[in-house]
Amino acid sequence: MHIENEIKLNYDDVLIRPKRSTLGSRKAVDLERGFNFPNYKPYVAKDVLPDGYPVVQKQDKNFRGIPIIASNMDGVGTFEMADKLAEQNIMTCLVKTYSIDELVSFYDGDIDNKRKDFVAYSMGITENDEQKFKTVYQQISNIKYVCIDVANGYSERFIDFVREFRMSYPNVVIIAGNVVTADQTQELILNGADIVKVGIGPGSVCTTRIQTGVGYPQLSAVMECADAAHGLNGHIIADGGCNCPGDIAKAFAGGADYVMLGGMLAGHDEGGGKVITKKYITDEMSTGTTRKIEEKKFVQFYGMSSDAANTKHFGGLKDYRASEGREVLVPYRGNVENTIQTILGGIRSTCTYAGAKRLKHLSKCATFVRTNSQFNRTYESTTTKM
Ligand code: 5GP
């Protein structure tokens, strides 16, 4: 047995120190990023002028957009969410459970390449998953991003799968995960991944740490994996554990190229979950002697390894497995556009505090200070609006 004594950090263990800045307004902050990928080999149209000289065009980036990704979870990674977020150049990882026909018709209806550029197909590593992808891919050519997603990215079989998938599909961007350490991040990139998904156990509806005792403090995982990936021209996604815009900003400041969100994007119309109304008797009197009744709307949300997800998609948990996810009710929040606006406003503000004109510069500009009290909770239980 071995103990690592170095302190590892979560998002709520730090704050970002404000710095003198020349930025006039939040509006001036550019949240878009451009990335090229190390292992992706896109087909390039070989344009040739009539005299035989090749047309030399400025090579644009493989990705250009706001590097936030909706997670491939029920109630989040839906077609409707993907289309809505793509309008703002934000990505979505689709849930794994769409059928072949649904996927083909979704990608077929891609009129402006937004689905190609901002949607990732998700899959596991079973033979069925491989066969399903092959069938979909034979019918449509505009799948650019594929997320190979397993709970434990440390198995040899996973690395072998990524390597073989890369050889079979050189012209897709491979997202692979989840891992939390620099060595496995490098291993994945050296075996063909372009973007590594980082996070074991931090998710809002994840119970892996409770069930297994396994995990890694998320901010440190992001910082260490980002450093390893960038050394190989790869990229990382900070996946899980962001509960507020400030956490997303801390992930970017810690070196994340993308941030993936589950819970923060749950509870919206685009997720397609059923809206449940609950009634509460309040302390307030409505007429002389009767108490006021208040209605609140919720949407069910659950982890993809929870009992609920296993029952919905696989007819129940296999008897050798335990649930590693929670089932919760999240407040119904209407259209996702308002939430996105709040998130982007928060990150823009972080950049102005830290003196970063572009999101790209945030990790260079930011200094973390360690804290054991992230914010003032005095009025937390009686807050009426935030
Ligand atoms: P959140 O943004 O809600 O904090 O975290 C979202 C992430 O939690 C997902 O992208 C995924 O990596 C992870 N996740 C989703 N469902 C489960 C689950 O049932 N168990 C575990 N361990 N992780 C989950």
Side-chain angles (χ1 to χ4, degrees):
M1 194 272 294
H2 173 77
I3 296 186
E4 275 185 38
N5 280 316
E6 194 189 328
I7 290 175
K8 303 288 176 183
L9 302 165
N10 281 307
Y11 296 130
D12 56 7
D13 292 322
V14 300
L15 289 165
I16 297 168
R17 194 171 79 186
K19 284 194 181 146
R20 199 177 152 274
S21 147
T22 53
L23 269 162
S25 145
R26 289 168 204 192
K27 254 204 289 191
V29 176
D30 178 7
L31 293 185
E32 293 220 339
R33 297 231 32 204
F35 299 127
N36 282 320
F37 301 115
N39 296 311
Y40 164 64
K41 303 272 176 291
Y43 289 133
V44 179
K46 295 222 167 17
D47 290 333
V48 176
L49 291 171
D51 56 7
Y53 284 101
V55 177
V56 181
Q57 283 174 337
K58 191 170 168 275
Q59 177 81 38
D60 198 15
K61 300 286 183 193
N62 299 149
F63 169 85
R64 191 173 289 284
I66 297 177
I68 289 176
I69 309 180
S71 172
N72 49 355
M73 298 174 75
D74 287 357
V76 180
T78 60
F79 292 146
E80 295 73 17
M81 184 69 82
D83 280 342
K84 182 53 81 179
L85 296 187
E87 286 172 13
Q88 302 206 45
N89 295 351
I90 292 175
M91 284 190 75
T92 298
C93 246
L94 296 175
V95 290
K96 293 176 185 166
T97 45
Y98 280 127
S99 70
I100 292 171
D101 289 350
E102 287 171 322
L103 287 159
V104 170
S105 93
F106 174 74
Y107 277 104
D108 250 352
D110 190 8
I111 30 173
D112 48 7
N113 270 349
K114 281 276 189 183
R115 291 177 180 171
K116 178 180 178 197
D117 287 334
F118 296 103
V119 180
Y121 176 107
S122 302
M123 63 189 289
I125 59 168
T126 65
E127 259 174 49
N128 276 349
D129 295 322
E130 205 177 347
Q131 196 51 48
K132 178 177 167 188
F133 178 75
K134 203 171 168 184
T135 313
V136 175
Y137 198 68
Q138 274 164 355
Q139 296 176 65
I140 41 174
S141 58
N142 63 339
I143 295 185
K144 176 171 169 186
Y145 292 91
V146 176
C147 175
I148 306 174
D149 184 27
V150 294
N152 173 6
Y154 285 80
S155 75
E156 237 172 65
R157 209 165 81 74
F158 175 58
I159 297 284
D160 292 345
F161 187 93
V162 170
R163 185 173 51 248
E164 279 158 29
F165 195 86
R166 166 54 71 211
M167 286 193 278
S168 307
Y169 303 101
N171 56 320
V172 299
V173 179
I174 297 181
I175 301 170
N178 279 24
V179 300
V180 283
T181 51
D183 55 343
Q184 199 70 349
T185 300
Q186 286 168 338
E187 189 74 10
L188 281 166
I189 294 170
L190 292 173
N191 280 282
D194 296 292
I195 307 171
V196 175
K197 204 146 73 77
V198 174
I200 293 187
S204 59
V205 283
C206 162
T207 56
T208 294
R209 293 178 183 178
I210 299 167
Q211 283 295 333
T212 68
V214 175
Y216 205 98
Q218 183 67 354
L219 177 62
S220 290
V222 165
M223 290 167 71
E224 292 166 25
C225 294
D227 190 46
H230 296 162
L232 297 170
N233 297 321
H235 302 282
I236 68 142
I237 300 174
D239 175 21
C242 288
N243 300 320
C244 54
D247 290 344
I248 304 174
K250 289 173 189 175
F252 284 129
D257 303 291
Y258 297 86
V259 177
M260 178 172 269
L261 304 175
M264 283 186 73
L265 298 181
H268 296 97
D269 293 330
E270 292 79 0
K274 194 170 147 218
V275 179
I276 301 158
T277 305
K278 289 188 174 255
K279 291 187 173 151
Y280 296 87
I281 300 172
T282 68
D283 285 342
E284 197 180 328
M285 306 306 282
S286 63
T287 56
T289 53
T290 41
R291 288 186 186 279
K292 194 172 157 193
I293 290 182
E294 205 174 79
E295 274 191 1
K296 283 189 185 164
K297 290 181 175 170
F298 298 91
V299 177
Q300 195 198 23
F301 179 53
Y302 46 80
M304 296 312 286
S305 311
S306 65
D307 244 342
N310 278 287
T311 305
K312 184 166 178 204
H313 302 300
F314 309 109
L317 262 176
K318 300 211 170 64
D319 54 9
Y320 57 88
R321 291 188 64 152
S323 156
E324 285 185 26
R326 276 177 216 279
E327 300 168 36
V328 301
L329 290 176
V330 295
Y332 167 66
R333 290 187 279 174
N335 198 301
V336 76
E337 237 169 76
N338 300 331
T339 301
I340 291 295
Q341 206 181 339
T342 306
I343 291 174
L344 300 187
I347 304 168
R348 274 199 190 92
S349 187
T350 310
C351 288
T352 44
Y353 273 118
K357 238 184 200 146
R358 304 175 61 192
L359 180 58
K360 181 183 178 182
H361 301 147
L362 183 59
S363 71
K364 283 204 189 79
C365 295
T367 303
F368 288 127
V369 279
R370 285 190 42 211
T371 177
N372 47 21
S373 164
Q374 201 186 180
F375 54 88
N376 189 332
R377 298 180 186 276
T378 309
Y379 293 115
E380 206 165 38
S381 61
T382 52
T383 301
T384 49
K385 192 166 182 206
M386 249 174 70

